[in-house]
Amino acid sequence: MEEDGSVELLSAEEDKHGGVTVNIDDPQPIHPLLFASSLKASLSHWTQQGKKGVWIKLHIQHSNLVDSAVKAGFRYHHAEPHYLMLVYWIPDIPDHLPANASHRVGIGAFVINTKRELLVVQEKDGIFKGTGVWKMPTGAVNEGEDICAAAIREVKEETGVETEFVEILAFRQSHKSFFEKSDLFFVCMLQPHSFDIQSQDSEILATQWMPIEEYVRQDFMQKNQLFDYIAKICLSKLDGQYTGFSRVLTTTSSGKKTYLYYNNGHDWGLSASKEEQAN
Amino acid sequence: MEEDGSVELLSAEEDKHGGVTVNIDDPQPIHPLLFASSLKASLSHWTQQGKKGVWIKLHIQHSNLVDSAVKAGFRYHHAEPHYLMLVYWIPDIPDHLPANASHRVGIGAFVINTKRELLVVQEKDGIFKGTGVWKMPTGAVNEGEDICAAAIREVKEETGVETEFVEILAFRQSHKSFFEKSDLFFVCMLQPHSFDIQSQDSEILATQWMPIEEYVRQDFMQKNQLFDYIAKICLSKLDGQYTGFSRVLTTTSSGKKTYLYYNNGHDWGLSASKEEQAN
């Protein structure tokens, strides 16, 4: 409350879409009743101003305020370990609020040496536990991490081998892989620059360089159509008969750097500028 | 409380990773103090049992219990409009809990008729508002939706045109596109099966079939390196000089159907079985 008895409005940042964002991460605790009355007054204020979406980013230390926000009509939008994002749509028309992240992204690394030996691992846990199956190193792409960088990192962590990104050979999309979320899995070809194996990963039971034909012949590969396809693609790549997507770093008009993955195996002068092509 | 004064344990389902999941979606309200004591007793019980991760899926109608779970040591894992998932890791070793979804996925649709005219739209809102830029139909891939299906759906919604999926020509990954989340954007080539334009989408200002050269010549395309690359890839595809990733429906060993996207432009018998190849 202000000294004159009026309720203090929540401070909010305006966004480009006619909405506002309230960020609540004060080090001091906030009383739920005080928050509820500030929120109510703020919502009236934003409604009068013609605002659309109202976002509240609530640090986990203020978990005692979640209930007040929900009672005020907010719904959950997304959460990360240390905060919960709630949202409220003011207008009387359907909302155009952005959806939550829908996919997890993973990589599998196809790393082969000049003796046609594939870098493979056995995992301590997971679906292959105790099966004796040798598989490619795999792992999750972190938020903010490039797919090509994630592949290099995972191989280094699981096997100690240094690599360079070559191509994305294929990818698959699957659904309901973890709660309701979908999953994209990219098979990346990497060129090894070191060969000594030294795993730093407590999840890895064993690592080796394995003749690729032996890898493909594993019972599991034969029985799993998806794995069989991927193995065939890798063999074909090895024999010079396949082109995946390589990467190029591009700049958007806002100056953001972003990787574009595409088939660079054609001689059609993508790297040449329009001016050069016109001449 | 039970009649004998003991605290009732929360009912939980065991998972494959040595953890348990509690799903709280009772239609009746639950008192926070009752929940807190049940949770405390349950945690002791699960600790004695050697359980690892404890998940609580809390329906939004029970938002009054969030604070009790956090006070008991839980952190947020993820949230959807109607529930919040909290997690607690019991063992004294670092957790191997799966990460939250990290990426949103979008599509751009390259739809061209036999007169080399591209299907383009102008949007009412967003970064191109008021610029006069004609762009490919774009949109978000929903949770649980195939990329190829999302492209067909978005084109139908934005333009009324019926299409068939051909190939993914390229994709780009960008970061911090929405809060901390990353973004994957797939450029899909679709073949049109109808040509009359009829937009059902309130976000679309105008739609037309535009000569592709005119599309590429737009000022914006020339200034944005990423868009320029994508336009060149599309032109190259049109001239029969490019191969993207097409799809094949595969079955995993668990019987799940999943699309694999790969370069099918080589005659290397991927569709033939190993037996057939061996003969």
Side-chain angles (χ1 to χ4, degrees):
Chain A
M1 291 263 207
E2 300 287 272
E3 281 178 16
D4 65 357
S6 66
V7 174
E8 194 176 355
L9 297 182
L10 298 168
S11 70
E13 273 188 36
E14 307 209 342
D15 64 36
K16 290 178 205 160
H17 308 280
V20 292
T21 301
V22 178
N23 186 10
I24 298 182
D25 60 354
D26 313 38
Q28 298 302 320
I30 298 169
H31 195 284
L33 291 179
L34 185 65
F35 174 71
S37 61
S38 282
L39 183 56
K40 193 180 167 191
S42 302
L43 277 174
S44 299
H45 175 67
W46 295 320
T47 304
Q48 278 170 17
Q49 285 191 314
K51 295 296 178 199
K52 294 178 180 172
V54 179
W55 301 86
I56 299 180
K57 185 178 179 182
L58 206 54
H59 193 279
I60 195 167
Q61 74 190 24
H62 298 291
S63 56
N64 63 324
L65 306 182
V66 174
D67 196 40
S68 306
V70 172
K71 296 281 188 293
F74 281 73
R75 64 169 175 84
Y76 303 145
H77 187 272
H78 68 275
E80 294 297 328
H82 294 100
Y83 75 87
L84 174 62
M85 185 72 80
L86 298 113
V87 69
Y88 181 84
W89 180 251
I90 296 177
D92 245 355
I93 51 168
D95 78 69
H96 299 118
L97 295 168
N100 192 0
S102 54
H103 285 65
R104 295 194 305 159
V105 179
I107 57 89
F110 177 69
V111 184
I112 198 144
N113 65 21
T114 51
K115 291 184 278 184
R116 289 177 71 94
E117 289 169 335
L118 184 67
L119 186 61
V120 290
V121 300
Q122 282 187 344
E123 291 177 352
K124 280 187 190 155
D125 279 312
I127 57 165
F128 296 112
K129 184 180 174 178
T131 58
V133 168
W134 291 97
K135 57 186 280 291
M136 294 184 196
T138 54
V141 177
N142 296 327
E143 207 165 79
E145 187 178 35
D146 286 314
I147 293 166
C148 47
I152 292 168
R153 177 184 53 74
E154 284 288 348
V155 169
K156 176 72 181 168
E157 284 173 12
E158 294 196 359
T159 71
V161 172
E162 307 269 359
T163 57
E164 180 187 336
F165 177 80
V166 181
E167 270 184 5
I168 287 172
L169 297 182
F171 66 91
R172 72 114 181 78
Q173 185 189 22
S174 67
H175 302 301
K176 301 205 172 185
S177 65
F178 171 66
F179 301 110
E180 294 300 307
K181 299 296 177 182
S182 298
D183 194 280
L184 279 162
F185 179 82
F186 293 88
V187 181
C188 300
M189 185 182 189
L190 305 174
Q191 190 185 338
H193 287 310
S194 73
F195 302 92
D196 286 348
I197 282 167
Q198 201 173 10
S199 178
Q200 301 293 329
D201 191 324
S202 62
E203 293 283 272
I204 297 299
L205 189 68
T207 310
Q208 66 163 331
W209 291 99
M210 181 186 227
I212 186 149
E213 283 74 14
E214 211 174 296
Y215 166 82
V216 173
R217 271 200 308 271
Q218 292 180 100
D219 231 33
F220 179 80
M221 296 297 149
Q222 309 261 343
K223 282 179 188 154
N224 184 311
Q225 197 190 13
L226 177 65
F227 278 60
D228 188 40
Y229 264 98
I230 291 173
K232 281 180 181 164
I233 289 169
C234 292
L235 277 175
S236 180
K237 177 72 198 175
L238 198 55
D239 297 337
Q241 292 169 33
Y242 187 86
T243 318
F245 280 0
S246 46
R247 67 177 174 184
V248 60
L249 193 61
T250 63
T251 311
T252 65
S253 49
S254 63
K256 210 167 173 177
K257 297 275 184 192
T258 173
Y259 277 118
L260 179 71
Y261 295 86
Y262 72 104
N263 183 346
N264 193 24
H266 307 274
D267 184 20
W268 46 281
L270 191 65
S271 54
S273 72
K274 283 210 172 98
E275 288 70 24
E276 286 165 340
Q277 286 191 323
N279 292 339
Chain B
M1 293 260 204
E2 302 289 271
E3 280 179 15
D4 65 357
S6 66
V7 174
E8 195 177 354
L9 297 181
L10 297 168
S11 69
E13 273 189 35
E14 307 208 343
D15 65 36
K16 290 177 202 160
H17 308 280
V20 291
T21 302
V22 178
N23 186 8
I24 299 182
D25 60 354
D26 313 38
Q28 297 302 320
I30 298 170
H31 196 282
L33 292 178
L34 185 66
F35 174 71
S37 61
S38 282
L39 183 57
K40 195 180 164 192
S42 303
L43 277 175
S44 301
H45 176 66
W46 295 320
T47 304
Q48 278 171 16
Q49 287 190 314
K51 295 296 178 199
K52 295 177 179 172
V54 179
W55 301 87
I56 299 180
K57 185 177 178 181
L58 206 55
H59 193 278
I60 195 166
Q61 75 190 24
H62 298 291
S63 57
N64 63 324
L65 306 181
V66 174
D67 196 40
S68 306
V70 172
K71 296 281 189 293
F74 281 73
R75 64 169 175 83
Y76 304 145
H77 187 273
H78 68 274
E80 294 297 329
H82 293 101
Y83 76 87
L84 173 62
M85 184 71 79
L86 298 113
V87 70
Y88 181 84
W89 180 250
I90 296 176
D92 246 356
I93 52 167
D95 78 69
H96 298 119
L97 296 168
N100 191 0
S102 53
H103 285 65
R104 296 194 302 160
V105 179
I107 56 89
F110 177 70
V111 184
I112 197 145
N113 65 23
T114 50
K115 291 184 277 184
R116 289 176 72 93
E117 289 169 335
L118 185 67
L119 186 60
V120 290
V121 301
Q122 283 186 343
E123 290 176 352
K124 281 187 191 157
D125 279 312
I127 56 165
F128 296 112
K129 183 182 175 177
T131 59
V133 168
W134 290 96
K135 57 185 281 292
M136 294 184 196
T138 55
V141 177
N142 296 328
E143 208 164 77
E145 186 178 37
D146 287 314
I147 293 166
C148 47
I152 292 169
R153 177 185 52 74
E154 284 288 348
V155 169
K156 176 73 180 168
E157 284 174 11
E158 295 197 358
T159 71
V161 173
E162 307 270 359
T163 56
E164 181 187 336
F165 177 80
V166 181
E167 269 184 6
I168 287 172
L169 297 181
F171 66 90
R172 72 112 180 82
Q173 185 190 22
S174 66
H175 302 302
K176 301 205 172 186
S177 65
F178 171 65
F179 299 111
E180 294 301 307
K181 299 296 178 184
S182 298
D183 193 281
L184 279 162
F185 178 82
F186 293 88
V187 181
C188 299
M189 185 181 187
L190 305 175
Q191 191 186 336
H193 286 311
S194 73
F195 302 92
D196 285 347
I197 282 167
Q198 199 172 12
S199 179
Q200 301 292 329
D201 191 324
S202 62
E203 293 283 273
I204 297 298
L205 189 68
T207 309
Q208 66 163 331
W209 291 98
M210 180 186 228
I212 185 148
E213 283 75 15
E214 209 174 299
Y215 166 81
V216 173
R217 270 200 307 271
Q218 291 180 101
D219 231 34
F220 179 81
M221 296 296 148
Q222 308 261 345
K223 282 180 188 152
N224 184 311
Q225 197 189 14
L226 177 66
F227 277 60
D228 189 39
Y229 264 98
I230 291 173
K232 280 179 181 166
I233 288 169
C234 293
L235 277 175
S236 181
K237 177 71 198 176
L238 199 54
D239 297 338
Q241 292 168 34
Y242 187 87
T243 318
F245 281 0
S246 47
R247 67 177 175 183
V248 59
L249 193 61
T250 64
T251 313
T252 66
S253 49
S254 63
K256 210 168 173 177
K257 297 275 183 191
T258 173
Y259 277 118
L260 179 71
Y261 295 86
Y262 72 104
N263 183 346
N264 194 23
H266 308 273
D267 183 20
W268 46 283
L270 190 66
S271 55
S273 72
K274 282 207 173 99
E275 288 70 26
E276 285 166 341
Q277 287 191 321
N279 293 338

